[in-house]
Amino acid sequence: GAGVSQSPSNKVTEKGKDVELRCDPISGHTALYWYRQSLGQGLEFLIYFQGNSAPDKSGLPSDRFSAERTGGSVSTLTIQRTQQEDSAVYLCASSLRGGGLGGKLFFGSGTQLSVL
Amino acid sequence: AQTVTQSQPEMSVQEAETVTLSCTYDTSESDYYLFWYKQPPSRQMILVIRQEAYKQQNATENRFSVNFQKAAKSFSLKISDSQLGDAAMYFCACGADGLTFGKGTHLIIQP
């Protein structure tokens, strides 16, 4: 596609429910990142996929968070048993090469998650 | 590991004037890159400018330029001839594989 696509744009859920957030990166981009942006805060790194390598999960805040990337393309971020503190904008980014090594990150418009 | 600090939560500038946004960072990486991203209310993160840490020459993109002081670990963004469309959150970021972002500076443009 022309850019990084994320769906849904907005998601409202009840505390304790599971949610899935989807990211469709730019075609051909091998690196994919998930970030979380809480109100008034910067971007918090969650997870990083690079090609077929094992993902860097060091930023996931708890075991309720998981992500997968199927076929090296689309990624899904899953949050189980959502809590109110999970409310945030979840941003996905992709790049042609890994990380900041010359690779510019291209971001989607994010998913605004609201946990009631 | 990296840390990025933006000490100005909010800045205001008159249209057509120049404004400088501050950023300091710390990293254990020997090779890394520095970025400024702009985030308007649409939430879309837009790359403004990128600097390779191994280059001494400051990056420039039209009205946007940086003052990169590697020894001081400082990476400020200068916006010249400010325009109403420049109003947004600006995030400084640092990294080699995966970026660490600062908390952002909210830039207001006064007409």
Side-chain angles (χ1 to χ4, degrees), chain A residues 56-114:
Chain A
D56 176 357
K57 304 179 182 180
S58 60
L60 294 179
S62 76
D63 58 9
R64 296 187 296 104
F65 288 72
S66 63
E68 62 177 21
R69 188 178 185 192
T70 54
S73 181
V74 173
S75 177
T76 302
L77 177 68
T78 301
I79 308 173
Q80 295 178 311
R81 305 181 302 281
T82 52
Q83 304 295 312
Q84 289 183 331
E85 60 263 30
D86 299 335
S87 297
V89 174
Y90 289 81
L91 290 165
C92 175
S94 70
S95 77
L96 186 59
R97 289 182 285 171
L101 287 170
K104 302 173 186 177
L105 293 191
F106 294 83
F107 283 84
S109 295
T111 294
Q112 171 73 64
L113 175 65
S114 301

Side-chain angles (χ1 to χ4, degrees), chain B residues 65-98:
Chain B
S65 62
V66 298
N67 183 4
F68 175 43
Q69 302 291 327
K70 191 171 183 178
K73 293 183 178 178
S74 171
F75 183 63
S76 62
L77 174 69
K78 184 172 82 171
I79 306 174
S80 303
D81 185 25
S82 298
Q83 301 176 0
L84 294 178
D86 296 333
M89 286 291 294
Y90 285 80
F91 293 96
C92 178
C94 171
D97 239 356

Side-chain angles (χ1 to χ4, degrees), chain A residues 7-70:
Chain A
S7 60
S9 179
N10 291 281
K11 175 71 176 179
V12 180
T13 190
E14 293 180 350
K15 177 181 174 181
K17 299 285 188 183
D18 296 352
V19 295
E20 285 189 352
L21 312 180
R22 176 188 168 104
C23 173
D24 200 344
I26 293 173
S27 178
H29 280 194
T30 58
L32 186 147
Y33 302 80
W34 284 98
Y35 286 87
R36 178 169 69 176
Q37 185 177 23
S38 301
L39 187 63
Q41 299 296 311
L43 277 67
E44 175 190 4
F45 167 75
L46 296 178
I47 189 169
Y48 162 50
F49 295 90
Q50 172 54 46
N52 295 321
S53 302
D56 176 357
K57 304 179 182 180
S58 60
L60 294 179
S62 76
D63 58 9
R64 296 187 296 104
F65 288 72
S66 63
E68 62 177 21
R69 188 178 185 192
T70 54

